[in-house]
Amino acid sequence: MSRPRLSQLVLVVLLLVLSACSSTAAPRGESDDASVPNAETAAAVAANTTGEASSTSDETASEAESESADEPATLVRYEEGDADYIFDQEALHTFELSLSEDDLAFLDADPTAEEYVEGSLSFEDETVAKVGIRYKGSIGAFVNCLTGANPLQPSGAKKCTKLSMKVKINWGDNPDQQFYGLKKLQLHSMNFDQSQMRDRLGYYLFREMGVPAPRATHARVMINGEYIGLFALIEQIDGRFTREAFDDGTGNLYKEVWPVDLNGDVIDDDGFRKGLKTNEDEDPSFEILRSFAEEVVEAGADGAPAVVEKRMDLDEIISYVVVDRTIRHDDGPFHFYCFRTPCFNHNYYFYEQPTDRTVHLIAWDLDNAFENIVRDANPITPLADAFGETSGDCKPVPYGAFQVPQISAACDPIIAAWATFDDEYDRLLQKFLDGPFSEDNVNTMLDTWSAQIAEATAEAHETHAGALAVTTWQSAITSLQAALEVARAGQ
């Protein structure tokens, strides 16, 4: 056996001294120099230097591996967390968006383009480095907020402090990136909702009645370090949503695709494809939603209700009608606008479930709900007819303060079939009035949520000229509660 050379012994002594110094200079695990070994490791180094394998070195390596395994790995919470955290009803989260001044100017110049630019999202103490950011909305979201003159054809540059926004987490070269299980964040500005409660309350009521609908809460939003204001945070309707909401969530999801036109003809493949939001890359069949529409049309007025019972969850769809009509979601699927050709409805999703071939209507975009309960306050959205009624011989009829042409919803064979279930409607309406929509329950929700957002509302008013004043907001809450009482009494 060879003897260690003097230089090797000197190395051992130096390592022992350094180890002793480091143990007094910093506690274990907090050293600035992770390469400083302890005494046992120094002995192992000396043994290995002389070519002598040592049981001590084996034991030390084993202990080191064990200690390393016990140390927690750095956890990226947004990659591991669940969407329940984001939609926690007891929390008011803050989302910080950062993007270049040039990109922000690009977005502000034409919000209706809905083009993404690259930015980052910071949440609590973490940052998602690359996300897509854009403004979003249909006609109602941009009224009085752009420089263009025609409110029915929004155009021009941004002039409101805040506009509705979409943040795409799986942006660019990160198609699988998620944020607490989410691929997108929907942030609605609530610019025309002085109560700041329509989205959150409306989706809550749909969900409480067993209707597929997104979760909603409030959120503070900052852009480039500046507090922009309070937004409604709405759950994205996508494949992740369908997998959570339905027994089989692998089917086709369609946005604003009504399967029958107002001539009673089932739409073609292009009509289905244009609104497809899942399975886009799989050349999917549209047979389930198409066959439902074909069966309704072929059955005629007398046979269509039986098709609905077979192909839909009856309590679910009639509950949808109950909630929609009670809260006057007049800008939804029951409003067929005819200011352009062909007439159209919007603000809904259809989902088809493969296993049982059922179809489901999903509530969406409640910005204008609740406002026409007491009177037709909105000049564009009010419906001319009560649910199930028709007028104008099913031809476009001008209605509302702006005299926007519309066709009665019950001219559509699917909606006409839903309107035949009077007994089911009455039963579910009573369930709604006694439960989710009761005065005690709704007022409790409104009081709780108001306390949650009061400080953020005041902060926005103090930060931006023209932002909602606290007194105006409080008055709007009172007016909303009064309108809800009118809705209860009118049922």
Side-chain angles (χ1 to χ4, degrees), residues 102-179:
D102 286 346
D103 282 338
L104 181 57
F106 173 81
L107 294 181
D108 289 348
D110 184 11
T112 64
E114 297 190 330
E115 293 185 34
Y116 284 105
V117 299
E118 186 173 295
S120 65
L121 166 66
S122 295
F123 177 73
E124 297 181 344
D125 59 352
E126 296 182 325
T127 297
V128 187
K130 291 184 179 182
V131 299
I133 301 171
R134 69 170 173 87
Y135 294 122
K136 66 173 293 290
S138 55
I139 293 172
F142 294 125
V143 172
N144 296 328
C145 280
L146 303 182
T147 56
N150 187 347
L152 296 181
Q153 294 180 339
S155 63
K158 171 180 176 285
K159 64 179 184 179
C160 288
T161 299
K162 59 179 183 175
L163 289 176
S164 297
M165 307 185 75
K166 181 175 286 190
V167 181
K168 187 174 184 179
I169 307 300
N170 56 334
W171 164 252
D173 57 359
N174 297 307
D176 298 322
Q177 182 167 256
Q178 296 186 4
F179 175 77

Side-chain angles (χ1 to χ4, degrees), residues 27-45:
R28 188 186 192 96
E30 297 180 8
S31 171
D32 291 333
D33 186 356
S35 66
V36 176
N38 59 27
E40 292 178 342
T41 305
V45 170

Side-chain angles (χ1 to χ4, degrees), residues 194-195 454 457 468-481:
Q194 293 186 333
S195 75
T457 301
L468 185 66
V470 172
T471 52
T472 302
W473 165 59
Q474 291 171 335
S475 177
I477 293 289
T478 301
S479 296
L480 174 61
Q481 290 173 317

Side-chain angles (χ1 to χ4, degrees), residues 59-114:
E59 293 170 1
T60 302
S62 177
E63 290 174 4
E65 290 175 2
S66 177
E67 290 173 0
S68 176
D70 290 340
E71 293 178 1
T74 301
L75 176 65
V76 181
R77 292 193 307 278
Y78 72 79
E79 292 181 349
E80 304 295 333
D82 185 85
D84 288 346
Y85 184 72
I86 298 301
F87 293 103
D88 182 357
Q89 295 297 302
E90 297 181 2
L92 178 63
H93 292 308
T94 297
F95 299 89
E96 300 182 47
L97 303 177
S98 298
L99 62 165
S100 73
E101 292 300 328
D102 286 346
D103 282 338
L104 181 57
F106 173 81
L107 294 181
D108 289 348
D110 184 11
T112 64
E114 297 190 330

